[in-house]
Amino acid sequence: MANSNTFSEFSLTTELPAFKELQHLYNEQGKELKTIDEFAKDPKRFDKYSKEFTNFDGSKILFDFSKNIFNDEIFAKLVQLAKEANVEGLRDHLFKGDHINFTEDRAVFHIALRNRANKPLYVDGVNVAPEVDSVLQHIKEFSNQVRSGEWKGYTGKKITDVVNIGIGGSDLGPVMVTEALKHYSSPDLRAHFVSNIDGTHIAETLKPLNPETTLFLIASKTFTTAETITNANSAKSWFLETAKDKAHIAKHFAALSTNAVEVAKFGIDTKNMFGFENWVGGRYSVWSAIGTSVALYIGYENFENFLKGAEAFDKHFTESALEDNIAAIGGLLSVWYNNFFDAQTHLVAPFDQYLHRFPAYLQQLSMESNGKSVTRGNKFTNYSTGSILFGEPATNAQHSFFQLVHQGTKVIPSDFILAAQSHNPIENNLHQRMLASNYFAQAEALLTGKDEAQVQKEGATGGLIPHKVFSGNRPTTSILAQKITPATLGALIAYYEHLTFVEGAIWNINSFDQWGVELGKVLAKVIGKELDDSTPVETHDPSTNGLINKFKQWA
């Protein structure tokens, strides 16, 4: 296993000079700093702290950081913190295929999956670019066959429904991307996703489907993931109730896996197996064979543009100085709020219905990556890591939890995302103009607030006045895209991936393992066997014993 200190030149982030200086700046300036005053001091603040990203196809995304609570001195010190934490050095190790996931002794090389320039990229001395491209060409051939109708079910009918069975990254990524890019889908091919072991999920998914026209994708690298294989076996049973002959499985099941033995044992033709390497973490796997459902749904050309959009942002991340590096700035601001303002949460609110699953996807990316309390030097941190990320599409969210964002006692840094151009400009684009007006107004309201004088001017008196006061100075980052295209979405995901990487690098934690997921899995296997009969249990803590025994009585 790699030495845990190989990629770390410090132990605790709080020991870095820049961190100590930032603490002083926060005490002296930051906690009293008013962003609206900074705009008054510097009329060019928006120009200085908004960054425009140009994608490979010429489309653009504007990232406006100017409404965040910092000044030039704080920003310069945050950049210094990134340098002292060796963010650039660790980034270079990542892009060289080094084993920066030291607890599992693996490379973290999802960037190779979107290497559409086919540059040589090496892991352990092996150029992985040819194999990545080979899998993509296999996906291209397969998706084209299914979409064109060349691939037919066992009765000769065209496939009309694709069901992806996976969990975690094998589900969240494809679900989010297919929803986000639904505009690009074929009207005669529907995508469905099953992840929950709750039998309701697969039962309700299968109810309206026809076995003769349904294709299942079983997404499990090892083909042993308990929830996924249980759901897959239920799908197979449902299929065989109609198809009868197990030979027909080959026309209706494909595997996103590397375990050829188990895939074949299930009945899937290994020609219809799409593999990926152990340096592809689950939460980064939508770029891999796990994205096969996406390619089927939106077409391979659009899927490749999705990859190219991320590739273009990778280029920006590796080539831009920290001061102009969009993901680095996003990550540094997250650290600034988390470690100095004691902000425990981070809101992502897409003003776009197609992006309604984007916050859920980012939850895994952020919280599974940086929900750690031990550094790369094997010490427990004495500082906060990992924000609680949440979000829902606006304007719905404005009528639920935005009250807390505006007038609550907590600092909630927020990202607002909007596309200038709608895919559905109905009613002479009235809907999009209303959506945009809320996007701009919410960020402005959070910045400026409303003081007592304004409230009184509006007619409020007496005890009602404080209830109508808004403190303002609530930080937002506004992300404005021209349009949510496959390339734009690819770049947006890469932005959040690299932002999360920057956070983890500064906190000196391993953002690429997930040992916290394991304990519950192990205990569930033990309890699962105990649930096979009605015998009372006494092997757990009193609460768990009581719950299990009551379940056995009622089940």
Side-chain angles (χ1 to χ4, degrees):
M1 181 177 290
N3 186 319
S4 59
N5 293 307
T6 301
F7 309 112
S8 178
E9 298 175 0
F10 63 103
S11 180
L12 296 170
T13 305
T14 45
E15 297 171 356
L16 295 174
F19 189 95
K20 296 174 182 177
E21 290 164 19
L22 279 164
Q23 186 64 64
H24 176 75
L25 282 173
Y26 172 76
N27 293 337
E28 294 295 314
Q29 302 176 26
K31 60 184 176 183
E32 302 298 331
L33 190 146
K34 303 293 182 186
T35 307
I36 195 70
D37 294 340
E38 295 305 310
F39 277 104
K41 292 176 190 174
D42 183 2
K44 294 185 180 291
R45 180 178 172 88
F46 171 77
D47 296 329
K48 185 188 299 181
Y49 291 118
S50 62
K51 307 293 178 183
E52 194 171 282
F53 167 75
T54 302
N55 216 322
F56 79 93
D57 59 359
S59 62
K60 298 179 186 300
I61 310 172
L62 180 69
F63 295 79
D64 175 20
F65 300 107
S66 65
K67 288 191 179 78
N68 284 282
I69 308 171
F70 67 92
N71 57 24
D72 292 351
E73 187 177 5
I74 291 167
F75 181 74
K77 198 58 63 178
L78 285 167
V79 171
Q80 184 183 328
L81 178 65
K83 290 178 179 176
E84 291 179 7
N86 194 30
V87 168
E88 293 163 304
L90 191 63
R91 174 198 65 192
D92 294 343
H93 282 300
L94 182 149
F95 276 80
K96 285 195 296 184
D98 293 336
H99 288 211
I100 65 170
N101 178 358
F102 68 90
T103 62
E104 296 179 296
D105 198 16
R106 292 178 183 172
V108 179
F109 220 37
H110 47 277
I111 56 101
L113 300 169
R114 55 230 195 186
N115 171 32
R116 298 319 300 133
N118 278 320
K119 298 181 297 186
L121 294 174
Y122 293 88
V123 174
D124 299 326
V126 177
N127 178 14
V128 300
E131 178 59 25
V132 168
D133 188 63
S134 175
V135 172
L136 284 173
Q137 296 312 312
H138 189 190
I139 293 172
K140 180 179 181 179
E141 178 187 32
F142 180 64
S143 59
N144 286 344
Q145 286 178 335
V146 173
R147 286 170 62 85
S148 69
E150 180 185 344
W151 181 289
K152 292 179 172 58
Y154 74 98
T155 60
K157 294 180 180 177
K158 182 180 179 181
I159 298 297
T160 59
D161 294 271
V162 176
V163 181
N164 186 92
I165 298 178
I167 198 166
S170 298
D171 172 76
L172 284 166
V175 169
M176 182 274 290
V177 176
T178 52
E179 285 296 302
L181 300 178
K182 184 178 285 188
H183 176 78
Y184 297 87
S185 67
S186 171
D188 57 356
L189 187 65
R190 295 173 291 272
H192 312 269
F193 296 87
V194 173
S195 57
N196 201 331
I197 193 60
D198 183 343
T200 298
H201 200 180
I202 191 159
E204 289 294 339
T205 300
L206 295 177
K207 271 181 185 178
L209 303 186
N210 179 356
E212 297 177 61
T213 60
T214 300
L215 173 67
F216 293 94
L217 303 178
I218 313 304
S220 171
K221 184 188 295 185
T222 61
F223 220 75
T224 58
T225 309
E227 298 94 335
T228 299
I229 300 307
T230 300
N231 280 325
N233 281 319
S234 296
K236 182 167 70 171
S237 297
W238 172 84
F239 173 75
L240 289 174
E241 280 178 18
T242 302
K244 308 301 182 188
D245 189 346
K246 290 184 179 180
H248 295 324
I249 290 172
K251 276 294 183 184
H252 291 266
F253 285 78
L256 317 180
S257 178
T258 56
N259 190 338
V261 173
E262 289 299 320
V263 166
K265 192 185 298 183
F266 185 90
I268 295 173
D269 187 339
T270 53
K271 292 177 183 175
N272 303 324
M273 188 174 87
F274 302 83
F276 48 103
E277 299 298 328
N278 71 355
W279 39 258
V280 181
R283 54 193 174 277
Y284 305 98
S285 62
V286 72
W287 316 106
S288 73
I290 293 298
T292 301
S293 58
V294 178
L296 283 163
Y297 190 60
I298 66 173
Y300 181 79
E301 183 178 344
N302 286 318
F303 181 66
E304 185 158 60
N305 285 339
F306 170 66
L307 301 178
K308 287 180 178 178
E311 179 186 33
F313 198 91
D314 291 340
K315 189 172 188 293
H316 165 82
F317 183 59
T318 55
E319 295 180 0
S320 299
L322 289 171
E323 293 84 353
D324 297 310
N325 195 306
I326 294 167
I329 295 170
L332 286 168
L333 288 172
S334 178
V335 170
W336 173 234
Y337 294 126
N338 192 306
N339 296 111
F340 300 95
F341 286 78
D342 196 28
Q344 298 298 304
T345 59
H346 187 120
L347 166 63
V348 177
F351 285 68
D352 191 304
Q353 186 59 29
Y354 282 129
L355 292 175
H356 70 106
R357 294 295 292 165
F358 195 50
Y361 173 79
L362 295 180
Q363 282 178 334
Q364 185 194 21
L365 172 63
S366 176
M367 294 197 284
E368 194 168 82
S369 294
N370 289 341
K372 313 289 170 60
S373 56
V374 178
T375 70
R376 289 194 295 263
N378 305 323
K379 287 188 176 182
F380 283 94
T381 66
N382 59 359
Y383 45 87
S384 174
T385 66
S387 299
I388 301 165
L389 192 146
F390 72 105
E392 285 289 330
T395 56
N396 305 44
Q398 293 170 204
H399 296 270
S400 57
F401 56 76
F402 266 45
Q403 170 63 41
L404 179 65
V405 182
H406 278 283
Q407 288 186 307
T409 58
K410 296 171 172 59
V411 177
I412 303 177
S414 303
D415 295 355
F416 294 166
I417 305 170
L418 176 74
Q421 301 169 35
S422 172
H423 286 295
N424 301 290
I426 60 176
E427 298 291 336
N428 196 29
N429 214 29
L430 172 63
H431 289 259
Q432 189 68 5
R433 293 198 304 275
M434 289 180 66
L435 186 67
S437 68
N438 280 274
Y439 167 83
F440 298 123
Q442 287 294 328
E444 183 177 34
L446 287 164
L447 170 70
T448 61
K450 186 190 288 188
D451 60 22
E452 284 192 19
Q454 289 174 281
V455 172
Q456 288 175 321
K457 191 174 181 181
E458 291 170 0
T461 58
L464 188 59
I465 292 173
H467 294 276
K468 291 196 169 187
V469 168
F470 289 71
S471 65
N473 208 42
R474 307 284 174 122
T476 59
T477 295
S478 296
I479 302 172
L480 180 63
Q482 288 181 299
K483 199 170 193 175
I484 300 299
T485 64
T488 300
L489 183 65
L492 276 176
I493 297 172
Y495 162 71
Y496 281 103
E497 284 181 352
H498 296 318
L499 182 160
T500 303
F501 166 85
V502 170
E503 290 175 325
I506 291 172
W507 289 324
N508 199 27
I509 56 179
N510 181 5
S511 299
F512 305 106
D513 59 11
Q514 54 279 329
W515 298 107
V517 178
E518 300 301 318
L519 179 58
K521 287 182 179 179
V522 172
L523 294 178
K525 287 181 180 178
V526 174
I527 294 172
K529 293 176 182 176
E530 294 175 337
L531 296 179
D532 288 341
D533 59 54
S534 59
T535 308
V537 299
E538 297 179 350
T539 53
H540 305 277
D541 64 89
S543 171
T544 304
N545 286 335
L547 288 166
I548 291 173
N549 292 333
K550 184 60 69 175
F551 174 86
K552 288 189 175 195
Q553 289 176 26
W554 288 354

